[in-house]
C-alpha cells in the first residue's frame, strides 16, 4: 500500500470514528464544506453541504455505543484525488442485543494544503 493509500485509509477510519462518537467537530474538520452525497437518509436525492449531516450529530442518540469497521478496502489515488471503497460493518446495541449491519461505501477525498478533505460519499442501504 502506498503512503497516499495508507493516509486515505487512516482519514477514512478517523471519519467513521467521528461518526460513531457523534463528534461533529472532528467530522466537519475532515470534510469539504461543499461535500456531496447520496445516502439512504436522502431518499435518492443528491445532498450538498454539511447541514444535512449535522442534523444527525445533533440528535439525542448521537454518539451511542457503536463501532464501525472497514472491510475489504479498495483505495485508488488519481493525482490529488483519492477514491476509497469498502464494506462498512457497524456493531451496535439494540433492545434485542448486539447486532451488526453492513453497507457499501464509496468516499472521495481531495488532497489540500490542510490534508485530505472529504468531498463526496455514496452509501448503500444496510
Ligand atoms: N452521513 C454522513 C457520512 O456517512 O459521512
Amino acid at each position: 500500500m502506498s503512503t497516499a493509500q495508507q493516509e486515505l485509509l487512516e482519514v477514512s477510519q478517523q471519519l467513521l470514528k467521528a461518526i460513531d462518537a457523534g463528534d461533529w467537530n472532528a467530522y466537519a474538520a475532515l470534510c469539504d464544506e461543499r461535500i456531496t452525497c447520496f445516502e439512504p437518509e436522502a431518499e435518492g436525492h443528491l445532498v450538498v453541504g454539511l447541514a444535512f449531516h449535522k442534523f444527525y450529530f445533533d440528535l439525542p442518540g448521537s454518539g451511542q455505543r457503536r463501532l464501525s469497521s472497514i472491510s475489504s478496502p479498495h483505495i485508488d489515488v488519481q493525482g490529488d484525488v483519492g477514491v476509497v471503497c469498502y464494506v462498512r460493518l457497524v456493531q451496535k446495541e439494540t433492545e434485542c442485543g448486539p447486532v451488526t449491519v453492513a453497507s457499501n461505501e464509496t468516499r472521495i477525498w481531495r488532497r489540500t494544503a490542510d490534508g485530505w478533505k472529504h468531498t463526496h460519499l455514496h452509501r448503500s442501504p444496510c
Side-chain angles (χ1 to χ4, degrees):
M1 191 178 280
S2 70
T3 301
Q5 287 173 312
Q6 187 63 43
E7 289 172 2
L8 285 161
L9 183 59
E10 286 173 12
V11 292
S12 299
Q13 289 168 330
Q14 288 171 20
L15 190 84
L16 297 187
K17 189 174 176 185
I19 294 169
D20 288 346
D23 185 342
W24 172 250
N25 290 334
Y27 180 83
L30 290 165
C31 294
D32 186 298
E33 62 182 23
R34 295 283 297 164
I35 188 170
T36 51
C37 91
F38 284 115
E39 61 180 358
E41 294 89 334
E43 297 290 346
H45 294 265
L46 178 69
V47 170
V48 181
L50 284 166
F52 185 87
H53 304 287
K54 188 172 189 302
F55 173 84
Y56 296 97
F57 283 82
D58 290 341
L59 292 176
S62 174
Q64 282 181 352
R65 190 160 171 251
R66 64 180 185 167
L67 177 65
S68 292
S69 299
I70 291 176
S71 176
S72 306
H74 181 275
I75 304 172
D76 190 31
V77 181
Q78 303 168 9
D80 286 341
V81 173
V83 180
V84 183
C85 308
Y86 53 86
V87 179
R88 177 176 168 188
L89 299 175
V90 181
Q91 297 164 267
K92 55 188 177 184
E93 292 177 324
T94 72
E95 290 176 1
C96 302
V99 298
T100 302
V101 295
S103 57
N104 303 325
E105 293 194 345
T106 300
R107 293 186 184 267
I108 312 296
W109 297 80
R110 183 169 50 84
R111 193 197 297 273
T112 73
D114 292 334
W116 291 101
K117 291 291 178 183
H118 191 21
T119 59
H120 178 75
L121 75 104
H122 197 145
R123 188 170 71 249
S124 73
C126 293

